[in-house]
Amino acid sequence: MLDEKDRKILEILMKDARKPFTEIAKELNTSESSIRKRIKKMEENGIIKGYTVVIEPAKIGYNVIALTGFDTDPQDVLDVAKELCKFEEVKKVFTSTGDHMIMTEIWARDGSELKEILFNKIGKIKGIKKICPAIILERLK
Amino acid sequence: MLDEKDRKILEILMKDARKPFTEIAKELNTSESSIRKRIKKMEENGIIKGYTVVIEPAKIGYNVIALTGFDTDPQDVLDVAKELCKFEEVKKVFTSTGDHMIMTEIWARDGSELKEILFNKIGKIKGIKKICPAIILERLK
DNA sequence: TTTGAAAATTGGCCTAA
DNA sequence: TTAGGCCAATTTTCAAA
């Protein structure tokens, strides 16, 4: 379902999703149509879910990124996770094993805004028992 | 440094980084060259770090994604974090406050492979005192 | 902002394995 | 049947005015 050529295409797209098919074809010593058809198939298969821009949060004023775990009663996990998805500031939401059943990534302009988000906005979701924010100091990879 | 139009461009690119400039221009009621020049400037400024493809890990055989915290002695944090970056399977590395000074995202094909990565490969890095993996059950956002 | 040439994308149709 | 090749029409990109 996914051969070596597909993997190489994905590798290239991971580094630069806007690279023209013609150039990818040149790099892999094959034709543009082959590349195009493979990519289209991967999009249809759901292997490729989309393309996105990688932003430096600090450069657009988001200086505080917090990996934030949430604890709830077991029966509330899914409802709370769904509620969390609704907030613009909550960029990622996972359910997971480990210390917290819900893990999120939250973007804020500063500590004060994070406080607002955590305590005034999110904090009001019914069922949250504990909030465990860990502020990212540096992203190394 | 970043006005409303730039923000809207970023918003659109976040949803689909391959959308042609002409189409973005149409959506924002402006010209293609204006859009292109703004994007170029954001790339030069480092606001836009790049473009990437969003992949469904499970579809390419990565069925176990683990948010993994690492504990070390304080003076070893940066060295360990740097070592972690070297592993292909470790897709993201952060230093952070909170329970663990180092947070990572690790991709493995299955539990057995995760075990190999954590205990045989990564586990051998000098200075790691504790490994705390949390396996992602579902990504909701 | 507009314009025009070069490049890339897209779709259809074809062949070969 | 599927992957890849080829061609032609359209769209997009890009730089200069």
Side-chain angles (χ1 to χ4, degrees), chain A residues 1-30:
Chain A
M1 182 173 169
L2 196 76
D3 64 9
E4 196 47 39
K5 202 175 259 183
D6 288 325
R7 283 178 202 286
K8 280 194 180 154
I9 292 171
L10 287 179
E11 213 173 288
I12 289 172
L13 286 178
M14 255 154 52
K15 280 188 225 130
D16 180 8
R18 284 189 71 99
K19 184 168 282 190
F21 301 156
T22 48
E23 234 181 282
I24 298 173
K26 228 185 287 173
E27 281 180 41
L28 300 182
N29 278 322
T30 176

PDB file of all heavy atoms in Angstrom, chain A residues 1-30:
ATOM      1  N   MET A   1       0.825  -1.217   0.000  1.00  0.00           N
ATOM      2  CA  MET A   1       0.000   0.000   0.000  1.00  0.00           C
ATOM      3  C   MET A   1       0.852   1.256   0.000  1.00  0.00           C
ATOM      4  O   MET A   1       0.364   2.345  -0.273  1.00  0.00           O
ATOM      5  CB  MET A   1      -0.908  -0.005   1.236  1.00  0.00           C
ATOM      6  CG  MET A   1      -1.846   1.202   1.296  1.00  0.00           C
ATOM      7  SD  MET A   1      -3.006   1.084   2.622  1.00  0.00           S
ATOM      8  CE  MET A   1      -3.687   2.740   2.636  1.00  0.00           C
ATOM      9  N   LEU A   2       2.122   1.084   0.356  1.00  0.00           N
ATOM     10  CA  LEU A   2       2.989   2.260   0.456  1.00  0.00           C
ATOM     11  C   LEU A   2       4.408   1.775   0.200  1.00  0.00           C
ATOM     12  O   LEU A   2       4.990   1.095   1.029  1.00  0.00           O
ATOM     13  CB  LEU A   2       2.873   2.858   1.862  1.00  0.00           C
ATOM     14  CG  LEU A   2       3.405   4.272   2.040  1.00  0.00           C
ATOM     15  CD1 LEU A   2       2.456   5.291   1.473  1.00  0.00           C
ATOM     16  CD2 LEU A   2       3.664   4.551   3.498  1.00  0.00           C
ATOM     17  N   ASP A   3       4.934   2.120  -0.951  1.00  0.00           N
ATOM     18  CA  ASP A   3       6.267   1.609  -1.256  1.00  0.00           C
ATOM     19  C   ASP A   3       7.346   2.658  -1.009  1.00  0.00           C
ATOM     20  O   ASP A   3       7.081   3.742  -0.514  1.00  0.00           O
ATOM     21  CB  ASP A   3       6.308   1.073  -2.692  1.00  0.00           C
ATOM     22  CG  ASP A   3       6.081   2.195  -3.693  1.00  0.00           C
ATOM     23  OD1 ASP A   3       6.077   3.371  -3.281  1.00  0.00           O
ATOM     24  OD2 ASP A   3       5.909   1.893  -4.879  1.00  0.00           O
ATOM     25  N   GLU A   4       8.540   2.265  -1.392  1.00  0.00           N
ATOM     26  CA  GLU A   4       9.704   3.112  -1.118  1.00  0.00           C
ATOM     27  C   GLU A   4       9.560   4.494  -1.759  1.00  0.00           C
ATOM     28  O   GLU A   4       9.914   5.514  -1.165  1.00  0.00           O
ATOM     29  CB  GLU A   4      10.962   2.389  -1.648  1.00  0.00           C
ATOM     30  CG  GLU A   4      12.257   2.946  -1.110  1.00  0.00           C
ATOM     31  CD  GLU A   4      12.253   3.158   0.394  1.00  0.00           C
ATOM     32  OE1 GLU A   4      11.680   2.306   1.131  1.00  0.00           O
ATOM     33  OE2 GLU A   4      12.791   4.183   0.830  1.00  0.00           O
ATOM     34  N   LYS A   5       9.022   4.512  -2.973  1.00  0.00           N
ATOM     35  CA  LYS A   5       8.885   5.788  -3.665  1.00  0.00           C
ATOM     36  C   LYS A   5       7.904   6.708  -2.929  1.00  0.00           C
ATOM     37  O   LYS A   5       8.154   7.901  -2.780  1.00  0.00           O
ATOM     38  CB  LYS A   5       8.427   5.551  -5.117  1.00  0.00           C
ATOM     39  CG  LYS A   5       8.766   6.702  -6.041  1.00  0.00           C
ATOM     40  CD  LYS A   5       8.414   6.390  -7.486  1.00  0.00           C
ATOM     41  CE  LYS A   5       9.629   5.980  -8.301  1.00  0.00           C
ATOM     42  NZ  LYS A   5       9.290   5.758  -9.725  1.00  0.00           N
ATOM     43  N   ASP A   6       6.802   6.125  -2.479  1.00  0.00           N
ATOM     44  CA  ASP A   6       5.847   6.916  -1.706  1.00  0.00           C
ATOM     45  C   ASP A   6       6.503   7.508  -0.462  1.00  0.00           C
ATOM     46  O   ASP A   6       6.293   8.666  -0.126  1.00  0.00           O
ATOM     47  CB  ASP A   6       4.650   6.045  -1.287  1.00  0.00           C
ATOM     48  CG  ASP A   6       3.742   5.725  -2.470  1.00  0.00           C
ATOM     49  OD1 ASP A   6       3.598   6.592  -3.347  1.00  0.00           O
ATOM     50  OD2 ASP A   6       3.198   4.617  -2.509  1.00  0.00           O
ATOM     51  N   ARG A   7       7.280   6.682   0.201  1.00  0.00           N
ATOM     52  CA  ARG A   7       7.943   7.162   1.416  1.00  0.00           C
ATOM     53  C   ARG A   7       8.867   8.331   1.126  1.00  0.00           C
ATOM     54  O   ARG A   7       8.936   9.292   1.877  1.00  0.00           O
ATOM     55  CB  ARG A   7       8.766   6.036   2.056  1.00  0.00           C
ATOM     56  CG  ARG A   7       7.919   5.059   2.798  1.00  0.00           C
ATOM     57  CD  ARG A   7       8.714   3.916   3.399  1.00  0.00           C
ATOM     58  NE  ARG A   7       7.843   2.784   3.624  1.00  0.00           N
ATOM     59  CZ  ARG A   7       6.946   2.736   4.603  1.00  0.00           C
ATOM     60  NH1 ARG A   7       6.839   3.749   5.438  1.00  0.00           N
ATOM     61  NH2 ARG A   7       6.153   1.705   4.747  1.00  0.00           N
ATOM     62  N   LYS A   8       9.559   8.226   0.015  1.00  0.00           N
ATOM     63  CA  LYS A   8      10.476   9.318  -0.338  1.00  0.00           C
ATOM     64  C   LYS A   8       9.714  10.591  -0.671  1.00  0.00           C
ATOM     65  O   LYS A   8      10.153  11.687  -0.351  1.00  0.00           O
ATOM     66  CB  LYS A   8      11.350   8.888  -1.524  1.00  0.00           C
ATOM     67  CG  LYS A   8      12.492   8.002  -1.091  1.00  0.00           C
ATOM     68  CD  LYS A   8      13.541   7.857  -2.188  1.00  0.00           C
ATOM     69  CE  LYS A   8      14.682   6.958  -1.727  1.00  0.00           C
ATOM     70  NZ  LYS A   8      15.355   6.304  -2.845  1.00  0.00           N
ATOM     71  N   ILE A   9       8.589  10.419  -1.346  1.00  0.00           N
ATOM     72  CA  ILE A   9       7.757  11.590  -1.652  1.00  0.00           C
ATOM     73  C   ILE A   9       7.310  12.253  -0.350  1.00  0.00           C
ATOM     74  O   ILE A   9       7.406  13.471  -0.198  1.00  0.00           O
ATOM     75  CB  ILE A   9       6.525  11.187  -2.493  1.00  0.00           C
ATOM     76  CG1 ILE A   9       6.976  10.728  -3.888  1.00  0.00           C
ATOM     77  CG2 ILE A   9       5.549  12.341  -2.607  1.00  0.00           C
ATOM     78  CD1 ILE A   9       5.861  10.116  -4.720  1.00  0.00           C
ATOM     79  N   LEU A  10       6.855  11.445   0.591  1.00  0.00           N
ATOM     80  CA  LEU A  10       6.397  12.007   1.869  1.00  0.00           C
ATOM     81  C   LEU A  10       7.535  12.724   2.585  1.00  0.00           C
ATOM     82  O   LEU A  10       7.344  13.799   3.166  1.00  0.00           O
ATOM     83  CB  LEU A  10       5.839  10.901   2.770  1.00  0.00           C
ATOM     84  CG  LEU A  10       4.488  10.326   2.365  1.00  0.00           C
ATOM     85  CD1 LEU A  10       4.072   9.224   3.319  1.00  0.00           C
ATOM     86  CD2 LEU A  10       3.423  11.400   2.309  1.00  0.00           C
ATOM     87  N   GLU A  11       8.703  12.127   2.521  1.00  0.00           N
ATOM     88  CA  GLU A  11       9.866  12.732   3.171  1.00  0.00           C
ATOM     89  C   GLU A  11      10.131  14.130   2.595  1.00  0.00           C
ATOM     90  O   GLU A  11      10.383  15.083   3.326  1.00  0.00           O
ATOM     91  CB  GLU A  11      11.080  11.836   2.926  1.00  0.00           C
ATOM     92  CG  GLU A  11      12.071  11.814   4.057  1.00  0.00           C
ATOM     93  CD  GLU A  11      13.136  10.765   3.754  1.00  0.00           C
ATOM     94  OE1 GLU A  11      12.831   9.556   3.828  1.00  0.00           O
ATOM     95  OE2 GLU A  11      14.241  11.183   3.393  1.00  0.00           O
ATOM     96  N   ILE A  12      10.060  14.210   1.277  1.00  0.00           N
ATOM     97  CA  ILE A  12      10.299  15.501   0.627  1.00  0.00           C
ATOM     98  C   ILE A  12       9.204  16.493   0.995  1.00  0.00           C
ATOM     99  O   ILE A  12       9.480  17.641   1.325  1.00  0.00           O
ATOM    100  CB  ILE A  12      10.372  15.312  -0.907  1.00  0.00           C
ATOM    101  CG1 ILE A  12      11.660  14.578  -1.273  1.00  0.00           C
ATOM    102  CG2 ILE A  12      10.298  16.655  -1.621  1.00  0.00           C
ATOM    103  CD1 ILE A  12      11.752  14.165  -2.730  1.00  0.00           C
ATOM    104  N   LEU A  13       7.957  16.031   0.968  1.00  0.00           N
ATOM    105  CA  LEU A  13       6.845  16.927   1.294  1.00  0.00           C
ATOM    106  C   LEU A  13       6.878  17.370   2.752  1.00  0.00           C
ATOM    107  O   LEU A  13       6.421  18.459   3.084  1.00  0.00           O
ATOM    108  CB  LEU A  13       5.504  16.242   0.997  1.00  0.00           C
ATOM    109  CG  LEU A  13       5.136  16.107  -0.475  1.00  0.00           C
ATOM    110  CD1 LEU A  13       3.820  15.370  -0.611  1.00  0.00           C
ATOM    111  CD2 LEU A  13       5.061  17.470  -1.147  1.00  0.00           C
ATOM    112  N   MET A  14       7.427  16.523   3.624  1.00  0.00           N
ATOM    113  CA  MET A  14       7.521  16.903   5.026  1.00  0.00           C
ATOM    114  C   MET A  14       8.464  18.096   5.175  1.00  0.00           C
ATOM    115  O   MET A  14       8.229  18.970   5.995  1.00  0.00           O
ATOM    116  CB  MET A  14       7.981  15.729   5.876  1.00  0.00           C
ATOM    117  CG  MET A  14       6.826  15.134   6.664  1.00  0.00           C
ATOM    118  SD  MET A  14       7.002  13.394   7.116  1.00  0.00           S
ATOM    119  CE  MET A  14       8.578  13.328   7.896  1.00  0.00           C
ATOM    120  N   LYS A  15       9.487  18.120   4.366  1.00  0.00           N
ATOM    121  CA  LYS A  15      10.449  19.229   4.452  1.00  0.00           C
ATOM    122  C   LYS A  15       9.941  20.455   3.705  1.00  0.00           C
ATOM    123  O   LYS A  15      10.226  21.579   4.088  1.00  0.00           O
ATOM    124  CB  LYS A  15      11.798  18.777   3.880  1.00  0.00           C
ATOM    125  CG  LYS A  15      12.593  17.948   4.875  1.00  0.00           C
ATOM    126  CD  LYS A  15      14.008  17.698   4.346  1.00  0.00           C
ATOM    127  CE  LYS A  15      14.408  16.242   4.541  1.00  0.00           C
ATOM    128  NZ  LYS A  15      14.941  15.603   3.348  1.00  0.00           N
ATOM    129  N   ASP A  16       9.218  20.249   2.615  1.00  0.00           N
ATOM    130  CA  ASP A  16       8.675  21.391   1.863  1.00  0.00           C
ATOM    131  C   ASP A  16       7.449  20.968   1.078  1.00  0.00           C
ATOM    132  O   ASP A  16       7.558  20.477  -0.041  1.00  0.00           O
ATOM    133  CB  ASP A  16       9.738  21.969   0.924  1.00  0.00           C
ATOM    134  CG  ASP A  16       9.170  23.147   0.136  1.00  0.00           C
ATOM    135  OD1 ASP A  16       8.038  23.584   0.437  1.00  0.00           O
ATOM    136  OD2 ASP A  16       9.846  23.637  -0.780  1.00  0.00           O
ATOM    137  N   ALA A  17       6.302  21.215   1.702  1.00  0.00           N
ATOM    138  CA  ALA A  17       5.044  20.756   1.112  1.00  0.00           C
ATOM    139  C   ALA A  17       4.653  21.555  -0.123  1.00  0.00           C
ATOM    140  O   ALA A  17       3.732  21.181  -0.825  1.00  0.00           O
ATOM    141  CB  ALA A  17       3.927  20.831   2.154  1.00  0.00           C
ATOM    142  N   ARG A  18       5.343  22.635  -0.392  1.00  0.00           N
ATOM    143  CA  ARG A  18       4.990  23.439  -1.563  1.00  0.00           C
ATOM    144  C   ARG A  18       5.891  23.159  -2.752  1.00  0.00           C
ATOM    145  O   ARG A  18       5.750  23.779  -3.806  1.00  0.00           O
ATOM    146  CB  ARG A  18       5.042  24.933  -1.217  1.00  0.00           C
ATOM    147  CG  ARG A  18       3.857  25.406  -0.402  1.00  0.00           C
ATOM    148  CD  ARG A  18       3.854  26.919  -0.293  1.00  0.00           C
ATOM    149  NE  ARG A  18       3.511  27.538  -1.542  1.00  0.00           N
ATOM    150  CZ  ARG A  18       2.302  27.994  -1.864  1.00  0.00           C
ATOM    151  NH1 ARG A  18       1.325  27.898  -0.987  1.00  0.00           N
ATOM    152  NH2 ARG A  18       2.070  28.551  -3.022  1.00  0.00           N
ATOM    153  N   LYS A  19       6.806  22.256  -2.590  1.00  0.00           N
ATOM    154  CA  LYS A  19       7.714  21.952  -3.703  1.00  0.00           C
ATOM    155  C   LYS A  19       6.924  21.427  -4.902  1.00  0.00           C
ATOM    156  O   LYS A  19       6.108  20.527  -4.765  1.00  0.00           O
ATOM    157  CB  LYS A  19       8.750  20.909  -3.237  1.00  0.00           C
ATOM    158  CG  LYS A  19       9.784  20.593  -4.278  1.00  0.00           C
ATOM    159  CD  LYS A  19      10.937  19.793  -3.662  1.00  0.00           C
ATOM    160  CE  LYS A  19      11.880  20.684  -2.875  1.00  0.00           C
ATOM    161  NZ  LYS A  19      13.098  20.024  -2.456  1.00  0.00           N
ATOM    162  N   PRO A  20       7.156  22.007  -6.078  1.00  0.00           N
ATOM    163  CA  PRO A  20       6.410  21.570  -7.269  1.00  0.00           C
ATOM    164  C   PRO A  20       6.658  20.101  -7.581  1.00  0.00           C
ATOM    165  O   PRO A  20       7.753  19.587  -7.360  1.00  0.00           O
ATOM    166  CB  PRO A  20       6.993  22.452  -8.381  1.00  0.00           C
ATOM    167  CG  PRO A  20       7.596  23.617  -7.686  1.00  0.00           C
ATOM    168  CD  PRO A  20       8.054  23.121  -6.345  1.00  0.00           C
ATOM    169  N   PHE A  21       5.621  19.462  -8.123  1.00  0.00           N
ATOM    170  CA  PHE A  21       5.727  18.045  -8.486  1.00  0.00           C
ATOM    171  C   PHE A  21       6.867  17.817  -9.453  1.00  0.00           C
ATOM    172  O   PHE A  21       7.556  16.801  -9.390  1.00  0.00           O
ATOM    173  CB  PHE A  21       4.421  17.566  -9.125  1.00  0.00           C
ATOM    174  CG  PHE A  21       3.223  17.710  -8.237  1.00  0.00           C
ATOM    175  CD1 PHE A  21       1.959  17.805  -8.780  1.00  0.00           C
ATOM    176  CD2 PHE A  21       3.358  17.742  -6.854  1.00  0.00           C
ATOM    177  CE1 PHE A  21       0.843  17.934  -7.962  1.00  0.00           C
ATOM    178  CE2 PHE A  21       2.259  17.875  -6.031  1.00  0.00           C
ATOM    179  CZ  PHE A  21       0.992  17.974  -6.594  1.00  0.00           C
ATOM    180  N   THR A  22       7.049  18.759 -10.345  1.00  0.00           N
ATOM    181  CA  THR A  22       8.109  18.607 -11.350  1.00  0.00           C
ATOM    182  C   THR A  22       9.472  18.510 -10.683  1.00  0.00           C
ATOM    183  O   THR A  22      10.312  17.727 -11.109  1.00  0.00           O
ATOM    184  CB  THR A  22       8.119  19.826 -12.295  1.00  0.00           C
ATOM    185  OG1 THR A  22       8.085  21.011 -11.519  1.00  0.00           O
ATOM    186  CG2 THR A  22       6.950  19.796 -13.234  1.00  0.00           C
ATOM    187  N   GLU A  23       9.643  19.277  -9.624  1.00  0.00           N
ATOM    188  CA  GLU A  23      10.944  19.251  -8.957  1.00  0.00           C
ATOM    189  C   GLU A  23      11.126  17.963  -8.159  1.00  0.00           C
ATOM    190  O   GLU A  23      12.210  17.385  -8.137  1.00  0.00           O
ATOM    191  CB  GLU A  23      11.058  20.456  -8.021  1.00  0.00           C
ATOM    192  CG  GLU A  23      12.296  21.297  -8.275  1.00  0.00           C
ATOM    193  CD  GLU A  23      12.356  22.451  -7.303  1.00  0.00           C
ATOM    194  OE1 GLU A  23      11.632  23.444  -7.526  1.00  0.00           O
ATOM    195  OE2 GLU A  23      13.089  22.342  -6.322  1.00  0.00           O
ATOM    196  N   ILE A  24      10.052  17.540  -7.518  1.00  0.00           N
ATOM    197  CA  ILE A  24      10.109  16.272  -6.785  1.00  0.00           C
ATOM    198  C   ILE A  24      10.466  15.162  -7.764  1.00  0.00           C
ATOM    199  O   ILE A  24      11.300  14.300  -7.469  1.00  0.00           O
ATOM    200  CB  ILE A  24       8.750  15.972  -6.111  1.00  0.00           C
ATOM    201  CG1 ILE A  24       8.419  17.062  -5.093  1.00  0.00           C
ATOM    202  CG2 ILE A  24       8.773  14.602  -5.445  1.00  0.00           C
ATOM    203  CD1 ILE A  24       7.019  16.951  -4.508  1.00  0.00           C
ATOM    204  N   ALA A  25       9.842  15.223  -8.927  1.00  0.00           N
ATOM    205  CA  ALA A  25      10.096  14.207  -9.949  1.00  0.00           C
ATOM    206  C   ALA A  25      11.574  14.204 -10.332  1.00  0.00           C
ATOM    207  O   ALA A  25      12.190  13.143 -10.444  1.00  0.00           O
ATOM    208  CB  ALA A  25       9.238  14.482 -11.178  1.00  0.00           C
ATOM    209  N   LYS A  26      12.133  15.379 -10.493  1.00  0.00           N
ATOM    210  CA  LYS A  26      13.533  15.470 -10.871  1.00  0.00           C
ATOM    211  C   LYS A  26      14.416  14.837  -9.793  1.00  0.00           C
ATOM    212  O   LYS A  26      15.311  14.057 -10.079  1.00  0.00           O
ATOM    213  CB  LYS A  26      13.912  16.945 -11.085  1.00  0.00           C
ATOM    214  CG  LYS A  26      14.675  17.196 -12.383  1.00  0.00           C
ATOM    215  CD  LYS A  26      15.129  18.643 -12.503  1.00  0.00           C
ATOM    216  CE  LYS A  26      13.989  19.607 -12.807  1.00  0.00           C
ATOM    217  NZ  LYS A  26      14.417  21.026 -12.767  1.00  0.00           N
ATOM    218  N   GLU A  27      14.114  15.157  -8.542  1.00  0.00           N
ATOM    219  CA  GLU A  27      14.921  14.630  -7.434  1.00  0.00           C
ATOM    220  C   GLU A  27      14.865  13.113  -7.357  1.00  0.00           C
ATOM    221  O   GLU A  27      15.832  12.467  -6.961  1.00  0.00           O
ATOM    222  CB  GLU A  27      14.445  15.215  -6.099  1.00  0.00           C
ATOM    223  CG  GLU A  27      14.940  16.629  -5.851  1.00  0.00           C
ATOM    224  CD  GLU A  27      14.439  17.173  -4.520  1.00  0.00           C
ATOM    225  OE1 GLU A  27      14.425  16.419  -3.533  1.00  0.00           O
ATOM    226  OE2 GLU A  27      14.060  18.349  -4.479  1.00  0.00           O
ATOM    227  N   LEU A  28      13.714  12.564  -7.703  1.00  0.00           N
ATOM    228  CA  LEU A  28      13.561  11.115  -7.579  1.00  0.00           C
ATOM    229  C   LEU A  28      13.759  10.409  -8.924  1.00  0.00           C
ATOM    230  O   LEU A  28      13.483   9.216  -9.040  1.00  0.00           O
ATOM    231  CB  LEU A  28      12.181  10.782  -6.996  1.00  0.00           C
ATOM    232  CG  LEU A  28      11.901  11.353  -5.604  1.00  0.00           C
ATOM    233  CD1 LEU A  28      10.533  10.911  -5.123  1.00  0.00           C
ATOM    234  CD2 LEU A  28      12.971  10.906  -4.615  1.00  0.00           C
ATOM    235  N   ASN A  29      14.223  11.173  -9.896  1.00  0.00           N
ATOM    236  CA  ASN A  29      14.481  10.597 -11.211  1.00  0.00           C
ATOM    237  C   ASN A  29      13.293   9.874 -11.810  1.00  0.00           C
ATOM    238  O   ASN A  29      13.403   8.737 -12.275  1.00  0.00           O
ATOM    239  CB  ASN A  29      15.667   9.624 -11.133  1.00  0.00           C
ATOM    240  CG  ASN A  29      16.970  10.381 -11.209  1.00  0.00           C
ATOM    241  OD1 ASN A  29      17.079  11.348 -11.959  1.00  0.00           O
ATOM    242  ND2 ASN A  29      17.941   9.948 -10.430  1.00  0.00           N
ATOM    243  N   THR A  30      12.157  10.546 -11.778  1.00  0.00           N
ATOM    244  CA  THR A  30      10.983   9.931 -12.370  1.00  0.00           C
ATOM    245  C   THR A  30      10.134  11.038 -13.001  1.00  0.00           C
ATOM    246  O   THR A  30      10.561  12.177 -13.057  1.00  0.00           O
ATOM    247  CB  THR A  30      10.188   9.131 -11.321  1.00  0.00           C
ATOM    248  OG1 THR A  30       9.018   8.629 -11.927  1.00  0.00           O
ATOM    249  CG2 THR A  30       9.794   9.998 -10.151  1.00  0.00           C
TER     250      THR A  30
END
